[in-house]
Amino acid sequence: MTHTIPDVIKDGRNGDDAADTYTYYKRDVEMMRELGLDAYRFSLSWSRILPNGLANKVSDAGVAFYNNYINEMLKYNITPLVTLYHWDLPQQMQDLGGFQNPLFPRMFENYAKVAFKHFGDRVKHWITFNEPREICYEGYGHVTKAPRLNATGVGTYYCAKHLLLAHARAYHAYNDQFRATQGGVCGITISVNWFKPLTDSEEDALAAELKRQAEWGLYAEPIFSEEGGFPKELSEIVDRKSEEEGYFASRLPQFTDEEREYVRGSSDFFGVNHYTAYMISANDYKGDYVVPSLYADIDVGTWVPPTWLQSASSWLRLAPNSIHDALSHLNKKYNGPIFYITENGWSQHPDDGFDDDSRITYYRAALDSVLNCLHDGIDLRGYMAWSLMDNFEWMEGYTERFGLYEVDFASPEKTRTPRKSAFVYKHIISTRTIDPDYEPDTKTMWIDEGK
Ligand SMILES: C[C@H]1O[C@@H](Oc2ccc([N+](=O)[O-])cc2)[C@H](O)[C@@H](O)[C@H]1O
């Protein structure tokens, strides 16, 4: 997409080399050591390992690269958390319909097995998919992410069903064929922002619940709820509207009983990408929907207090204690699962420089909210900042920077330089305290001996 329709990327650029970890992975691991990280999450590129997407042809060079990268981390006792799919589908899989193809789950299972086979002796934490919502809603129900299919009223739902079956197939393959010898865990990462009723009214409470079901319940409920299957209220609305609109069957394709059981419970942990919160209203701030879609189905309004600190990303503001709000809710709803926060972070503009005080403010607030979760006994096993370094930020190109380290994309070696937030983050995780007055000496970064 970046090559065929570059105009849809904010700065018209692409991710062909981006931060180029393929070349500079040793520097990346050095940065992990500088920060004092004991775990790092990254994703595999399906097409780097299987160039045509199918499991019959494995790229030796691709496998060798990931072996080197994983081994370099392990050499310094950094635990790799590996995501199988973070939005980069092999072109041939997309040409076959991508997540709309009912055979997609089989193709994904085969890819997952190749990954388990080659890396599972050392990788013990697997994440099947990053952010089903962003894959299915933004890519198949809207035009805000590749492949920009916007399949009116059905794209998000077809994708959701196939993605969940694909996830479950990978999970069961791991369980049945690899877990006994490799001894790891396999889960999924879902983007869970917090959605709060705008007022105390019952209407707004229902609106917020519908929004939660649409944004993450659609993917979490089938896996983590006791009953399995898609969320009840959302299903009822889509069924009713589909009938009114003259469809012969609901636009939301339900699971068969067998499928529902197969997906239910298919995750050893709940990976959460959390960034922000929104206020939800039943009557105000609503969109104007002319064709069927997930958002037209729920038909609720969204508002954000302008007093919340704004990042460089339109969708990202600092919402007070929202990690705790979101995790407390999930913890209760899904009976205390194991959690990992697999992403959480803050963007700035490329020219904002190295004194990234708003990022520091965000991380201090976020980690405080993490401590509130631990204090409440939530089984939160890990926290991963997004991100170690600047990257190709999808449709925003290089116009939004999330890195603790700046990447100079124009330099021949993609030079990485720590921002002030990197020093503060290092201080927080090494001292396990959040000191609002800590002012780092940012002249030189260093590696603590013995780590
Ligand atoms: C910045 C990272 O965000 C992750 O994706 C998103 C995108 C949008 C929202 N949102 O709340 O609107 C949340 C998360 C993504 O996984 C990562 O690659 C980065 O883009």
Side-chain angles (χ1 to χ4, degrees):
M1 191 185 74
T2 57
H3 284 251
T4 51
I5 34 170
D7 286 356
V8 299
I9 309 297
K10 202 163 182 178
D11 54 9
R13 293 164 70 189
N14 61 54
D16 286 4
D17 57 357
D20 197 2
T21 281
Y22 188 75
T23 308
Y24 300 111
Y25 71 92
K26 286 197 176 173
R27 169 67 182 130
D28 291 358
V29 176
E30 184 180 60
M31 284 144 55
M32 296 170 206
R33 296 173 61 214
E34 288 174 350
L35 291 178
L37 306 188
D38 58 11
Y40 184 71
R41 170 178 179 250
F42 67 98
S43 61
L44 303 180
S45 162
W46 184 340
S47 47
R48 189 182 289 293
I49 296 169
L50 304 176
N52 64 12
L54 298 170
N56 63 324
K57 188 167 167 244
V58 179
S59 160
D60 292 340
V63 170
F65 163 66
Y66 288 118
N67 275 332
N68 292 338
Y69 191 26
I70 291 165
N71 292 344
E72 186 73 7
M73 276 177 231
L74 292 176
K75 189 155 111 192
Y76 298 106
N77 298 320
I78 297 165
T79 301
L81 277 81
V82 176
T83 304
L84 290 169
Y85 183 82
H86 194 130
W87 306 355
D88 50 344
L89 195 68
Q91 187 60 46
Q92 184 161 287
M93 301 293 99
Q94 190 61 59
D95 295 343
L96 290 168
F99 287 78
Q100 308 277 17
N101 186 333
L103 293 178
F104 176 79
R106 195 158 82 180
M107 305 184 233
F108 182 74
E109 178 192 346
N110 289 339
Y111 158 55
K113 285 204 261 199
V114 171
F116 299 150
K117 178 178 150 203
H118 285 279
F119 311 119
D121 57 333
R122 286 150 296 147
V123 173
K124 304 299 170 191
H125 295 78
W126 292 100
I127 295 163
T128 54
F129 287 99
N130 180 67
E131 297 190 346
R133 175 210 172 262
E134 278 64 27
I135 300 169
C136 292
Y137 172 68
E138 300 212 22
Y140 290 84
H142 205 32
V143 293
T144 37
K145 294 262 178 329
R148 300 179 80 244
L149 280 180
N150 193 10
T152 315
V154 294
T156 308
Y157 302 133
Y158 290 5
C159 170
K161 180 171 177 179
H162 297 151
L163 182 149
L164 286 160
L165 289 170
H167 157 79
R169 284 183 80 127
Y171 174 84
H172 287 294
Y174 189 74
N175 228 8
D176 300 343
Q177 298 168 41
F178 297 92
R179 196 196 289 276
T181 51
Q182 298 185 347
V185 289
C186 181
I188 189 166
T189 277
I190 298 175
S191 51
V192 181
N193 287 321
W194 182 235
F195 300 99
K196 217 173 149 68
L198 182 64
T199 70
D200 291 337
S201 73
E202 265 182 39
E203 276 179 306
D204 284 355
L206 176 63
E209 174 53 23
L210 273 180
K211 182 74 170 170
R212 292 177 206 133
Q213 293 187 6
E215 295 284 8
W216 43 259
L218 190 60
Y219 316 99
E221 199 78 3
I223 299 174
F224 295 101
S225 72
E226 267 176 30
E227 313 74 42
F230 289 121
K232 188 167 164 283
E233 288 81 4
L234 178 66
S235 298
E236 285 169 4
I237 289 178
V238 187
D239 291 355
R240 176 174 52 76
K241 289 200 172 182
S242 303
E243 200 176 328
E244 287 166 8
E245 290 153 359
Y247 289 84
F248 289 109
S250 176
R251 288 185 276 103
L252 176 62
Q254 293 293 337
F255 295 106
T256 63
D257 289 349
E258 196 187 342
E259 287 170 341
R260 185 188 301 128
E261 279 310 297
Y262 189 67
V263 173
R264 194 172 68 92
S266 63
S267 198
D268 298 322
F269 58 86
F270 196 138
V272 170
N273 286 359
H274 177 88
Y275 284 89
T276 193
Y278 299 90
M279 312 296 286
I280 304 301
S281 166
N283 300 308
D284 300 321
Y285 309 109
K286 287 163 76 154
D288 200 8
Y289 302 107
V290 284
V291 289
S293 71
L294 174 71
Y295 283 1
D297 284 338
I298 58 169
D299 193 25
V300 302
T302 302
W303 181 75
V304 187
T307 49
W308 291 357
L309 187 64
Q310 175 74 57
S311 71
S313 309
S314 57
W315 52 271
L316 175 53
R317 283 177 186 258
L318 197 179
N321 207 19
S322 58
I323 292 182
H324 180 258
D325 287 345
L327 261 61
S328 305
H329 179 89
L330 293 177
N331 194 49
K332 203 161 153 213
K333 193 172 179 60
Y334 298 130
N335 207 14
I338 293 167
F339 290 105
Y340 286 88
I341 293 180
T342 42
E343 281 183 30
N344 175 244
W346 185 255
S347 62
Q348 292 202 307
H349 301 286
D351 296 333
D352 283 347
F354 288 92
D355 280 350
D356 51 347
D357 290 319
S358 63
R359 178 172 291 112
I360 292 168
T361 302
Y362 181 88
Y363 275 122
R364 282 183 175 144
L367 289 165
D368 214 32
S369 200
V370 163
L371 289 180
N372 291 337
C373 295
L374 296 176
H375 185 260
D376 282 1
I378 293 174
D379 193 357
L380 175 55
R381 305 261 176 114
Y383 171 93
M384 267 138 284
W386 184 276
S387 182
L388 177 61
M389 69 195 126
D390 294 341
N391 59 291
F392 176 68
E393 188 47 42
W394 312 110
M395 308 293 269
E396 312 311 322
Y398 297 94
T399 66
E400 293 178 11
R401 304 298 179 91
F402 277 85
L404 293 167
Y405 282 71
E406 187 232 46
V407 176
D408 180 356
F409 292 101
S411 67
E413 293 182 344
K414 312 280 184 192
T415 307
R416 286 106 153 95
T417 310
R419 293 192 167 101
K420 188 170 158 188
S421 57
F423 293 88
V424 172
Y425 192 79
K426 176 182 171 92
H427 183 258
I428 292 173
I429 64 175
S430 64
T431 61
R432 296 182 180 260
T433 52
I434 303 166
D435 176 358
D437 298 322
Y438 175 71
E439 266 298 320
D441 173 359
T442 56
K443 278 193 214 70
T444 32
M445 188 44 104
W446 70 100
I447 293 174
D448 290 330
E449 292 303 325
K451 290 235 167 166

